[in-house]
């Protein structure tokens, strides 16, 4: 066998507050973004994935960065105005108790990281990717430290509870949860801990992301696990869930050379920030992004369904036909969808080839395997919208 | 004849001049849930240590090597239809392929069960 995981000596890995809990539950731990994280538990990736779509999955995502932006003088509106210097979304009109998806951009219009921004009334709360949190903090400090105090929250953990039973589980601790809609955020006391809860996630399912003080994380996790519907879910299933949901992974599907328009994320750029809007542009790379909004990007992120049973993985080249040497695209994420029951992938293709139904060929192990451009998500979202 | 094992975590069971090959319990537990298996064509000539099959978990593809030189005389269609069999029964029902050996002496240098258990200890 090749490619069996082997123990390699790396720089010392960090641990989240739930490390011992993961070990207690039989987790297989792997290095991820400088942390020792559970890739799966005894159930395995397939069962953990299916459990999340039928019951409630509990994920430790404490490795991600939580950063508060607090106004130095003035109000949270001033912080929002300042943050709009760094992101293409409308943050100024993001209401109190609401959250929005956006990205930090670079001067080429590429993506430095994708982030969630929430308005907590007297501050903004950002959740950023683990692998980029240090650079994100530096970037924000270098631009915004005049306008706001930038407060990373390393003493807070982050848990996600996702799936059709998540609401029932959480509302047993606070019945008010049932009034939350997708992308609402509020302070909630759960199992004796002061949490900040958003109705959002990375699985396509209805669910919640729960920020909790680090010293209360284990007792919160145990309280949630005491519900028979709840099971711990590892990063392996987190990845198959998000890919079925058509959601991007920074570092795979998004990077500094990819614009939000190429990434088919222009829905996150509200009208006020587009050409003709009241606060058009004004973020790094705005000229590139606004030009692509006007005339279309050169390439486009699409879903891909292999016609056979072999998965087609990230890094695979895509060709217009079975012979011929000019690639028309590249796969950026690929694997197998347990709910879909089939292989699935996402990648970027030339704009002319981006229409659903377009057939192309993936170069896999010396063969050209047929794949078809397919709409995303592969599995419908079940968000609880207004 | 008792089973033999390779450092690549394959087992072999020999009957006359035909060896049945699969991956070990240890290998399947390291790989995790399998979702795809690709087996060599029946009739194909294979060399010792040549990559001849692929098993894929949700996360990654892994080559399976032929432990012997010879000709592929059978493959297990059941595991192609249901890759999960390799996880549940890797050392019996989920055998992968059978090779008619060209050089049976290749067996001499392989580990027995005790040797393999030491390797993975």
């Amino acid at each position: 066998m090749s490619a069996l995981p082997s123990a390699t000596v790396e720089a010392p890995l960090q641990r989240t507050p739930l490390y011992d809990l993961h070990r207690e539950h039989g987790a297989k731990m792997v290095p991820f973004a400088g942390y020792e994280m559970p890739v799966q538990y005894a159930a395995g990736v397939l069962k953990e994935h299916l459990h999340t779509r039928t019951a409630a999955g509990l994920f430790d995502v404490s490795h991600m960065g939580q950063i508060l932006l607090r106004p130095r003088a003035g109000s949270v509106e001033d912080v929002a105005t300042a943050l709009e210097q760094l992101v293409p979304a409308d943050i100024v009109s993001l209401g109190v108790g609401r959250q929005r998806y956006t990205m930090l951009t670079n001067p080429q219009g590429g993506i430095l990281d994708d982030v969630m921004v929430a308005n907590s009334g007297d501050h903004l709360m950002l959740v950023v990717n683990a692998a980029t949190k240090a650079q994100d903090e530096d970037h924000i400090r270098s631009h915004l430290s005049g306008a706001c105090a930038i407060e990373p929250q390393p003493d807070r953990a982050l848990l996600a509870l996702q799936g059709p039973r998540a609401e029932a589980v959480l509302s047993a601790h606070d019945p008010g949860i049932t009034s939350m809609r997708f992308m609402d955020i509020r302070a909630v006391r759960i199992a004796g801990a002061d949490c900040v809860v958003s109705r959002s996630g990375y699985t396509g399912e209805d669910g919640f992301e729960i920020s909790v003080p680090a010293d209360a994380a284990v007792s919160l996790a145990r309280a949630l696990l005491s519900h028979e519907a709840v099971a711990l879910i590892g990063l392996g299933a987190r990845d198959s869930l998000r890919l079925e949901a058509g959601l991007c992974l920074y570092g795979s599907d998004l990077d500094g050379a990819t614009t939000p328009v190429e990434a088919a994320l222009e829905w996150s750029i509200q009208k006020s920030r587009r050409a003709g809007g009241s606060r058009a542009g004004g973020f790094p790379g705005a000229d590139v992004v606004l030009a692509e909004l006007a005339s279309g990007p050169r390439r486009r992120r699409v879903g891909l369904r292999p016609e056979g049973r072999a998965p087609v993985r990230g890094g695979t080249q895509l060709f217009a036909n079975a012979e011929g040497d000019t690639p028309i695209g590249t796969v950026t994420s690929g694997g197998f969808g347990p709910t879909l029951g089939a292989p699935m992938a996402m990648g970027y293709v030339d704009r002319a080839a981006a229409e659903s139904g377009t057939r192309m060929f993936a170069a896999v192990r010396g063969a050209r395997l047929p794949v078809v451009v397919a709409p995303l998500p592969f599995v419908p979202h079940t968000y609880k919208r207004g | 004849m008792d089973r033999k094992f390779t450092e690549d975590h394959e087992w072999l069971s020999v009957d006359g001049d035909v060896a049945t090959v699969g991956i070990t319990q240890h290998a399947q537990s390291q790989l995790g849930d399998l979702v795809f298996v690709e087996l060599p064509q029946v009739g194909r000539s294979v060399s010792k240590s040549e990559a001849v099959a692929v098993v894929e978990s949700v996360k990654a593809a892994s080559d399976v090597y032929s432990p012997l030189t010879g000709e592929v005389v059978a493959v297990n269609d059941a595991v192609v239809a249901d890759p999960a069999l390799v996880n549940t029964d890797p050392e019996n029902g989920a055998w992968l392929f059978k090779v008619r050996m060209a050089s049976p002496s290749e067996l001499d240098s392989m580990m027995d069960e005790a040797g393999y258990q030491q390797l993975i200890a």
Side-chain angles (χ1 to χ4, degrees), chain A residues 1-5 28 40 43-47 236 239-240 309-311 313 334-336 338 365, chain B residues 8-10 23 27 30-31 33 35-36 38 54-60 62-65 80-81:
Chain A
M1 305 250 40
S2 68
L4 283 199
K28 182 169 162 187
Q40 66 175 71
V45 175
L46 293 183
K47 289 208 178 79
D239 191 45
S240 55
R309 305 171 75 159
R313 309 269 178 190
F336 181 83
R365 291 185 286 274
Chain B
D8 293 318
H9 308 282
E10 286 123 13
I23 67 168
Q30 291 291 300
L31 288 169
D33 294 323
V35 299
F36 175 71
E38 186 179 279
V54 177
V55 292
E56 297 216 34
S57 69
V58 182
K59 195 60 188 170
S62 208
D63 285 327
V64 180
Y65 304 100
V80 175

Side-chain angles (χ1 to χ4, degrees), chain A residues 60-77:
Chain A
D60 176 11
V61 288
S62 303
H63 55 318
M64 300 185 75
Q66 300 178 63
I67 308 175
L68 260 53
L69 303 183
R70 226 182 266 283
R72 286 199 187 284
S75 65
V76 75
E77 283 79 19

